[in-house]
Amino acid sequence: MSAARRQRGLMATDAEWERIARAAGAAGMEMSRYVVARALAPDGLPGEVVRRAVREALVLSKLEERRLREAGAGAAWEDACDAVDAWMDREGVLDRLADPGAANRWKAAGAETGREGAP
């Protein structure tokens, strides 16, 4: 027997509501289903898994930065960092990167700047 859905209320600022609407749209979901799915989603990865993944990404990032600077392409590194910073600022907070629509927004942001898959 399935439970009947009922209308509920939700308090949010206009800016929060707009972000929810964009995220739901990017995930291809109705807003109410998106909010419920996010609220009931299981907790994320274990902390040690996240820590190791972040550590490895940072190590690779440092190596690439060093390689580019030694090759005289430090400006390319700075441009990439600026583009990523701008994209993260538009997203609001870092944990938004794990939401269902983040990959689509990343691609869309890249298309806006004329670079495939880049913010």
Side-chain angles (χ1 to χ4, degrees), residues 27-78:
M29 301 172 74
E30 294 177 356
M31 286 179 63
S32 62
R33 296 313 314 151
Y34 179 81
V35 170
V36 170
R38 292 287 297 188
L40 299 179
D43 289 336
L45 296 169
E48 184 54 34
V49 171
V50 173
R51 182 187 182 284
R52 183 178 175 128
V54 168
R55 178 184 171 269
E56 290 176 3
L58 291 172
V59 166
L60 290 172
S61 176
K62 282 304 214 182
L63 290 171
E64 183 64 6
E65 178 183 9
R66 182 181 304 154
R67 185 186 71 76
L68 285 170
R69 291 195 188 282
E70 287 173 356
W77 174 260
E78 297 301 328

Side-chain angles (χ1 to χ4, degrees), residues 81-119:
C81 289
D82 290 346
V84 169
D85 287 342
W87 181 79
M88 287 174 39
D89 288 346
R90 285 192 308 268
E91 288 302 302
V93 292
L94 190 57
D95 66 357
R96 303 293 296 168
L97 294 176
D99 80 38
N104 291 333
R105 287 192 305 282
W106 180 273
K107 290 176 189 171
E112 289 173 9
T113 62
R115 291 178 291 174
E116 183 68 27

